[in-house]
Amino acid sequence: MSTKYKRGSFQLMKSMNRSIILNMIREEGPISRADIAKQTRLTPPTVSNIVKELISTQFVIETTQGVSKGGRKPTLLAINADQFYTLGVDVGTLQMKFVVTNLYGQLKDHTSLDIAPFPSHEDILNTMKKGIHQLLNSEKNEKEKFLGIGVGMHGIVDPGEGVSLFAPAFQLHNIPIKQVLEEEFDMIVKVENDARTMTLGEYWFGHGNDADNMVGVNVGNGIGAGMMVKGRLFHGENNLAGEIGHITIDLSGPRCTCGNYGCLQTLAAGPAIAERAKKDLKAGRASIIRDLVEGDFEKVDGKIVYEAAMQNDEFSIELLNQTGRYLGIGLTNLIHTMNPKRIIVGGGVSKAGRFLMDGIEETIQSRGLTEKAKETSIVLSKLGEHGSAIGACVLVLEEFFVRQE
Ligand SMILES: [Zn+2]
C-alpha cells in the first residue's frame, strides 16, 4: 500500500481577486493595503477582507518595515515564502531531477534518479514516485507544507489531461502522469512539456520577468522551445508548438530520431556535438580531447568537448562555435516567426555558454532581417540546470497566483 499524504489546511484559491492580490504582494511586496487597493482598483474593504483571509491561511504575513510619513509606521504585507513548498520534477532522457522550492521559487532541496534503459510506462511512473517520496519523506521538509507537484516532461504533453502523449527518448505513448501521481500523493498535480516549464520558470523567477513575449530554448539531448505570448504559454492546436528541434536546417544533414534529415537537433543537441567531435578526431584532427579520453573516442561527449574548450583547445572551441551558428539559424527562424523580446537559452548544452553565444550572435547579426531583429536579446538561463524543474513548480504556483490583465 502506498503512503498517502494529507492535504494542507488551506483552501484552493478559486477567487480571481484573491489570486491577483496575492500576486501583487509576491511581485511588489512588502506593500501596504492602501497601495494594493490603488493598484488593483479594488475597494479598500474588499482588499482588507481578502488580506485577512490570506493572513489566516498563512500565505501572507504582516511586517512593519514601512517608512513612516510622520505618523506611525504603516503595516506592510509580504509573502510568507517558506510557509509553503512545491515539488517539481524534470523528466529528461537519461535522468529525472526533483526539486523542492518555496513560494519565491528558491531551491530548498533536490535529488535526481537515473532512468532505466528502454523504460516501460511503469518504470517511468515508479521512478517519479520514488523521487517524490524521497523528498516528501526527507526530515528537512514538512509534508503538510506542500501545495502540489509539477512535472516537466520531454516530448508532446497534453497539459489539460496531464498525459505524456509521446516521449520520443523512451518511445512511449500516453503515460497517465497526472492520474497516477494524484492517486499516489493526493495533491494537485500539473504536467507540461519541459521546455515550456523552463520558460515559465524564467518568466517568474529568472531572466524573463520583464518580457511578455519571449521564448525559452532548452538545448540538451534534444532541442525544444517554450513560447510565451502575452504572458501565456502558447501550445498551438495540438500541443506541438515549439518543437524547434525538428525544423530542417540542412536538407542533406544527418538522420534524426524522427526519421527526417538535417533537423536542428541533429546538428546542435548534445549527442550531435559528440558525434561531430568523434568523426573529426577519427579523421585525425589534433585536439587535447585525445588525452582527456585516453584515446577511447567512445568516451567523447558534450561535456568533454566543453572541458577541452575551457582549456583553450582550438578544435573544441571551433566545434562549439559551429554549434552556436547552427543554433543561431534556429533562433533566427524563431525571431522571424514570432518576434520575441527575448530568447533564453537553457538546458545542459547551454553550460557551454560563451562558446555557443559567439556563434549564435554572429549568425543572428548576419541573417536578421531588420536592425530590430538583430537587436533581439539572447541570454543564457538564470535558473541553470534546475530550470525545468523549478518551472514545473510554477505550474502549481500558477493555481494560487494570478496576474491582473
Ligand atoms: Zn527530427
Side-chain angles (χ1 to χ4, degrees), residues 245-247 255-266:
H246 301 284
I247 55 176
R255 184 157 190 190
C256 183
T257 48
C258 73
N260 297 317
Y261 290 86
C263 291
L264 178 60
Q265 71 183 40
T266 67

Side-chain angles (χ1 to χ4, degrees), residues 247-249 264 323-335 359-360 363-364 367:
I247 55 176
T248 306
I249 299 293
L264 178 60
T323 306
R325 288 194 287 273
Y326 284 131
L327 274 175
I329 293 177
L331 300 194
T332 307
N333 289 345
L334 267 177
I335 291 169
I360 291 175
T363 308
I364 293 173
R367 290 175 184 254

Side-chain angles (χ1 to χ4, degrees), residues 22-312:
L22 191 54
N23 203 45
M24 184 147 289
I25 300 170
R26 182 182 74 83
E27 288 190 332
E28 311 204 3
I31 183 171
S32 69
R33 286 170 177 79
D35 283 340
I36 294 173
K38 212 183 291 168
Q39 292 192 39
T40 56
R41 300 204 187 99
L42 295 168
T43 65
T46 304
V47 171
S48 184
N49 275 333
I50 292 176
V51 165
K52 204 170 145 195
E53 199 183 333
L54 288 173
I55 291 172
S56 77
T57 49
Q58 297 183 304
F59 271 93
V60 165
I61 43 172
E62 288 186 315
T63 72
T64 47
Q65 32 183 279
V67 181
S68 161
K69 289 175 189 153
R72 67 186 173 99
K73 280 187 173 184
T75 305
L76 300 183
L77 302 162
I79 294 293
N80 198 4
D82 283 323
Q83 186 62 29
F84 294 105
Y85 286 169
T86 48
L87 202 150
V89 187
D90 169 19
V91 185
T93 55
L94 302 171
Q95 226 191 21
M96 284 188 206
K97 293 197 187 93
F98 303 83
V99 302
V100 173
T101 64
N102 68 6
L103 293 177
Y104 278 141
Q106 290 159 334
L107 203 61
K108 291 288 162 180
D109 200 357
H110 65 96
T111 187
S112 63
L113 292 173
D114 287 338
I115 298 169
F118 308 105
S120 64
H121 286 64
E122 285 67 35
D123 290 335
I124 296 300
L125 292 165
N126 287 339
T127 307
M128 260 181 215
K129 287 184 200 168
K130 190 176 163 193
I132 296 168
H133 276 297
Q134 212 169 303
L135 289 181
L136 290 178
N137 286 322
S138 157
E139 276 180 21
K140 271 170 77 176
N141 312 317
E142 297 161 47
K143 277 178 213 163
E144 49 286 348
K145 280 190 170 188
F146 284 85
L147 295 173
I149 299 163
V151 179
M153 174 84 185
H154 81 270
I156 315 294
V157 171
D158 176 347
E161 298 293 321
V163 171
S164 158
L165 297 175
F166 178 49
F170 312 142
Q171 290 294 309
L172 292 178
H173 291 86
N174 301 319
I175 312 173
I177 298 173
K178 180 182 164 76
Q179 187 202 330
V180 169
L181 295 186
E182 277 181 350
E183 273 169 25
E184 180 81 6
F185 297 103
D186 195 21
M187 285 187 195
I188 303 169
V189 176
K190 308 291 278 183
V191 187
E192 181 57 279
N193 164 274
D194 62 347
R196 291 199 194 109
T197 62
M198 187 203 105
T199 306
L200 201 56
E202 290 290 331
Y203 185 62
W204 275 57
F205 300 123
H207 287 316
N209 54 10
D210 61 337
D212 279 349
N213 294 313
M214 66 139 186
V215 187
V217 180
N218 196 14
V219 191
N221 286 317
I223 299 177
M227 299 190 281
M228 183 75 77
V229 180
K230 293 184 179 168
R232 297 256 178 269
L233 285 174
F234 178 73
H235 293 85
E237 195 63 26
N238 303 105
N239 297 305
L240 203 64
E243 282 296 324
I244 64 159
H246 301 284
I247 55 176
T248 306
I249 299 293
D250 179 357
L251 284 177
S252 50
R255 184 157 190 190
C256 183
T257 48
C258 73
N260 297 317
Y261 290 86
C263 291
L264 178 60
Q265 71 183 40
T266 67
L267 300 164
I273 297 172
E275 280 312 310
R276 279 213 310 284
K278 281 181 207 170
K279 200 175 137 211
D280 289 356
L281 290 167
K282 282 176 187 164
R285 282 290 304 268
S287 163
I288 60 164
I289 292 179
R290 283 174 198 284
D291 301 331
L292 293 177
V293 298
E294 293 158 344
D296 180 1
F297 293 146
E298 289 316 301
K299 286 189 192 154
V300 175
D301 59 14
K303 213 172 137 206
I304 285 177
V305 176
Y306 170 65
E307 276 168 23
M310 287 298 283
Q311 294 177 43
N312 256 334

